[in-house]
Amino acid sequence: MHISTYSTADRAARASATRVLECLRTHPSLVLGLPTGLTPVPLYRALVRAHQLGRADFSQATTFNLDEFLGLGRGDAGSYRTFMDTHLFAHVNLPPRRAHVLDGRAKDWRAEVKAYDARIQRVGGLDLVILGIGRNGHLGFNEPGPTLAARTHRVRLRTATRRANAGLFEGDWRRVPTHALSMGIGTILGAREIILLATGQTKARIVARALHGPITTRVPASLLQAHPNVAVCLDRDAASAL
Ligand code: GLP
């Protein structure tokens, strides 16, 4: 694991954007795994800016988002699809057919999660996955537990996770769906390269447990310690308990 600490959240996000842009330049048909949440917003801002300046060409890239709320999809205000449209997809030249987000409104979620893994396999797997981290150590929506699902699956969200996502639902956590679809931990760890981006004091404790604590499914992000190619980008606050 290569851990870098930056003076501000914006600098940490820009450092991860720089790596995405480097990969995109050397490998235009890059397959990216993408997160949602407040943390990656400045990263997406940097990617959009680079594209506007002619420094980022997404025309051959493919993206797979990590997760989506069950019951929500394209056009729904709280959906991660809408989040991605707003922060990235609408502003870069990524072909819409290659911008994959799980469809939380799919009639048959079992078929949806199977098809998602198959699509990832068909394009040769994930080259680079960007991850945020939940305060309980979740990655995507892989919540802590006695076991973790390897492949894309349906999850029941913890109340704490629903509260953390309330911002997408006008601050009312009860409106946050109770379930979600999430890329599995095996699919995530199958990526050739991973960047974990964490910023803010609220992440300090879990970052320390994930990076230096025991590897356990009770802290899903701790499994990153077993991956050979992980870069961790932190701001000073998130690094303060290391
Ligand atoms: C959600 C997402 C995660 C994300 C986490 C942290 O639960 N499913 O992928 O890492 O939020 O979000 P934030 O960056 O807003 O702290």
Side-chain angles (χ1 to χ4, degrees):
M1 256 185 183
H2 185 79
I3 303 171
S4 307
T5 303
Y6 300 87
S7 53
T8 65
D10 205 47
R11 290 212 168 118
R14 274 190 278 136
S16 52
T18 301
R19 181 62 191 144
V20 175
L21 295 172
E22 254 170 37
C23 290
L24 202 55
R25 233 166 274 136
T26 53
H27 186 181
S29 58
L30 193 69
V31 181
L32 274 169
L34 296 177
T36 50
L38 291 179
T39 312
V41 169
L43 156 70
Y44 293 139
R45 208 182 298 131
L47 294 180
V48 169
R49 203 178 310 129
H51 175 70
Q52 287 164 347
L53 295 171
R55 295 191 196 129
D57 176 13
F58 291 87
S59 64
Q60 295 176 59
T62 301
T63 65
F64 288 91
N65 262 79
L66 293 168
D67 44 18
E68 178 61 285
F69 294 109
L70 196 65
L72 300 185
R74 203 182 287 278
D76 291 327
S79 73
Y80 283 167
R81 161 63 79 172
T82 297
F83 175 96
M84 291 308 297
D85 286 342
T86 306
H87 292 284
L88 184 70
F89 298 157
H91 313 290
V92 296
N93 64 337
L94 177 71
R97 67 179 188 289
R98 289 212 297 269
H100 302 282
V101 182
L102 282 151
D103 181 5
R105 281 199 311 221
K107 280 206 184 71
D108 180 353
W109 65 263
R110 285 186 182 80
E112 175 66 10
V113 296
K114 248 185 144 173
Y116 206 66
D117 280 332
R119 255 179 259 146
I120 293 173
Q121 275 212 341
R122 217 176 302 132
V123 296
L126 300 163
D127 292 312
L128 173 62
V129 174
I130 321 284
L131 298 171
I133 184 172
R135 279 183 225 176
N136 62 6
H138 70 227
L139 295 179
F141 270 138
N142 292 282
E143 296 277 41
T147 62
L148 294 172
R151 300 298 155 212
T152 304
H153 59 292
R154 186 178 78 145
V155 272
R156 187 186 175 81
L157 299 177
R158 298 261 178 116
T159 301
T161 299
R162 293 175 66 208
R163 285 184 192 277
N165 278 274
L168 291 169
F169 299 85
E170 290 162 356
D172 182 359
W173 72 270
R174 287 184 183 81
R175 285 178 51 205
V176 179
T178 54
H179 290 77
L181 302 178
S182 179
M183 204 184 268
I185 211 82
T187 306
I188 293 171
L189 293 176
R192 285 175 268 282
E193 180 174 343
I194 295 175
I195 296 175
L196 175 68
L197 178 62
T199 56
Q201 193 60 48
T202 57
K203 300 291 172 68
R205 211 175 132 258
I206 197 64
V207 162
R209 286 179 68 197
L211 303 189
H212 297 322
I215 296 179
T216 165
T217 59
R218 304 281 176 192
V219 181
S222 68
L223 273 81
L224 294 173
Q225 293 180 45
H227 190 282
N229 192 7
V230 178
V232 183
C233 295
L234 305 173
D235 69 348
R236 253 189 229 137
D237 287 341
S240 60
L242 289 180

